Amino acid sequence: MTDNNHPITPPPELVQQWWDGTHGALYEFEAVTTQAARWGADQELEACCEWINSFQNKFVHAHDLRLVRRPKPPRLKEQALDDLDGIAAVFRMSYGGDLICDKIRRALEALPND
C-alpha cells in the first residue's frame, strides 16, 4: 500500500512526466524510481532545513531533528502508563482509591524499556 499524501511521495503527474521522459529506455523502471527517490530526498532535505531555520540562531541537535522528522510511536509500556493515568482519574473520582493504580504503576515502571 502506498501513501500518496505523504510529503515525500511525488505527485502522479510528476511520475508520469519522468516515465514519459525515459522514451523507451531499457531500464525505465529504474530510471523513474531513481528520480522519485531523489525527489523525495530533496523534499525531506527542504523540510529539515526549514525546521532548523525556524530556530533562528539557537543550537539544535541532530537528535532533535530526527525526533521531529521520524517520530516513533510510544512504546507499549508508555501507552499502558498513559492509559493508567485515565483509569486512576476515574478511580479517584468514583472510589477515592489510588492504591490499586499505584501498584499497577509500580509494576509497569519496573518493566524494562524495550
Side-chain angles (χ1 to χ4, degrees), residues 4 8 13 17 29 32 41 47 61 67 76 82 93 106:
N4 291 333
I8 65 169
E13 303 81 25
Q17 179 183 340
F29 182 75
V32 171
H61 293 280
L67 287 175
L76 184 59
D82 288 344
M93 291 188 309
R106 284 194 305 273

Side-chain angles (χ1 to χ4, degrees), residues 32-76:
V32 171
T33 54
T34 299
Q35 190 67 19
R38 287 179 183 151
W39 188 88
D42 289 344
Q43 299 303 304
E44 179 65 12
L45 178 60
E46 284 304 312
C48 291
C49 290
E50 285 179 27
W51 183 81
I52 288 172
N53 287 337
S54 72
F55 286 91
Q56 300 174 352
N57 299 325
K58 294 180 185 172
F59 187 71
V60 183
H61 293 280
H63 174 75
D64 299 326
L65 176 62
R66 190 170 289 114
L67 287 175
V68 169
R69 298 305 302 164
R70 297 291 183 272
K72 293 182 181 178
R75 294 185 172 112
L76 184 59

